[in-house]
Amino acid sequence: KSTNKSNSYFDIIEFKDEKNIAEITIDLIFRLLQKEERINLEDIAILTSNNYQCLFFKNLLNQFNIPSNINNKKNIFDTEASSLLELFLECLNKPNSSKFIKLLATSKLIQININNLFGSENCSDIDLLFKKFKLWNKEINDRGFISILRECIIIFKSSSLINDLDLYSNLIQLSELIEQKMLLESFNISKVINWYKYEMNSFSRTCKGDEYQVKNCNKSSAINITTIHSSKGLEYEIVICPYLWD
């Protein structure tokens, strides 16, 4: 249960049970969208205390087919996409490594069913992955990194990637940085991997500042999700703060 106190400026919802936060927030959003006066999704923002809560609400909204974007000031090397591309680079550098190939195969980038991967001796998808990385290792000088990554995404059509525009956007942003480094290092993949690992470590990182913050490349109408810290200087018509009590 919750009590609702309203005036012409804002609604105060007092949560009686922490478990009801998700249910009440979704109900509030539906009520807002059903009002007679038109409300655009991008005019709504959910402010949270941390990045974990941002992900929680993004996944929750996805369940109801409500588009959303996570807007924060996180360095692009601190994202989930960064870990995926580290693994991708390892596979590109060592295309015969069963360890790296199988780890990538079960990741969001490829998403081969783990039961199919280890449940039978023959798996056409994993065979194709080995074959492709051996070929890409030879083609990297001529094609570049971005072209190879795009081909991989098209071939395997990971549902996790298709349904997560933020993850895809971060992959593209990182791949552009990797492409630049590849050119500087004459496509020496080992040197690029060493540089990449340094950038993933916040203490040794040299890629800092606004240029390396996560960019929102999704221009479609969507609810904004951000931490209170990252919302400084931003303005929205409707702001939902489900964790002010925390």
Side-chain angles (χ1 to χ4, degrees):
K1 294 181 179 180
S2 66
T3 58
N4 192 314
K5 303 174 182 178
S6 301
N7 61 27
S8 58
Y9 299 102
F10 56 85
D11 289 346
I12 299 176
I13 300 175
E14 299 176 0
F15 295 101
K16 299 300 183 183
D17 186 344
E18 181 181 343
K19 296 179 181 178
N20 288 340
I21 288 178
E23 178 184 343
I24 293 173
T25 303
I26 289 295
D27 179 68
L28 175 60
I29 290 172
F30 274 120
R31 286 193 287 112
L32 288 169
L33 297 178
Q34 289 169 0
K35 283 188 173 182
E36 290 184 6
E37 60 270 25
R38 179 176 175 80
I39 296 177
N40 297 319
L41 289 176
E42 62 267 26
D43 293 333
I44 302 174
I46 299 175
L47 268 57
T48 68
S49 301
N50 54 56
N51 289 318
Y52 172 81
Q53 293 168 354
C54 286
L55 288 171
F56 169 78
F57 269 104
K58 180 175 178 59
N59 292 332
L60 182 66
L61 291 169
N62 282 342
Q63 293 176 25
F64 292 91
N65 295 317
I66 301 175
S68 64
N69 291 324
I70 295 179
N71 302 322
N72 57 36
K73 297 180 180 179
K74 182 188 293 186
N75 187 287
I76 190 62
F77 287 96
D78 291 331
T79 61
E80 180 183 14
S82 181
S83 298
L84 290 174
L85 287 186
E86 179 191 18
L87 199 50
F88 191 89
L89 283 167
E90 292 284 10
C91 293
L92 199 56
N93 190 42
K94 300 177 180 178
N96 293 312
S97 171
S98 177
K99 171 189 171 182
F100 289 132
I101 294 291
K102 287 184 177 180
L103 282 172
L104 184 68
T106 56
S107 73
K108 285 186 178 181
L109 193 58
I110 309 295
Q111 208 173 27
I112 294 175
N113 189 299
I114 193 167
N115 293 324
N116 294 337
L117 186 61
F118 297 104
S120 61
E121 294 183 1
N122 299 315
C123 178
S124 57
D125 285 335
I126 196 68
D127 291 340
L128 175 61
L129 196 58
F130 270 108
K131 181 180 178 181
K132 279 296 180 182
F133 270 106
K134 290 176 183 177
L135 179 63
W136 291 334
N137 176 271
K138 297 177 181 178
E139 293 181 338
I140 184 69
N141 291 50
D142 297 323
R143 295 183 55 186
F145 183 79
I146 294 176
S147 172
I148 288 172
L149 177 64
R150 287 187 185 276
E151 182 183 349
C152 179
I153 292 172
I154 291 170
I155 289 174
F156 292 97
K157 299 180 178 67
S158 164
S159 60
S160 293
L161 193 54
I162 292 170
N163 295 324
D164 192 336
L165 295 177
D166 288 327
L167 178 58
Y168 178 78
S169 173
N170 292 343
L171 285 170
I172 298 304
Q173 184 179 345
L174 276 166
S175 67
E176 291 172 352
L177 295 174
I178 293 171
E179 184 89 331
Q180 293 172 16
K181 192 63 177 179
M182 284 279 187
L183 290 169
L184 289 172
E185 298 294 352
S186 302
F187 295 95
N188 185 315
I189 304 174
S190 295
K191 287 185 177 181
V192 173
I193 290 175
N194 289 336
W195 159 80
Y196 194 84
K197 289 181 176 180
Y198 269 104
E199 296 304 330
M200 290 183 71
N201 186 327
S202 59
F203 295 102
S204 60
R205 179 177 298 153
T206 59
C207 295
K208 300 178 181 179
D210 294 345
E211 182 183 356
Y212 299 101
Q213 287 181 4
V214 173
K215 298 175 183 177
N216 178 19
C217 297
N218 179 21
K219 303 302 181 182
S220 60
S221 180
I223 290 177
N224 300 282
I225 307 174
T226 183
T227 61
I228 293 175
H229 174 74
S230 298
S231 67
K232 183 178 180 181
L234 301 177
E235 293 184 5
Y236 302 101
E237 292 293 326
I238 300 168
V239 180
I240 302 171
C241 305
Y243 294 102
L244 278 183
W245 55 269
D246 189 4

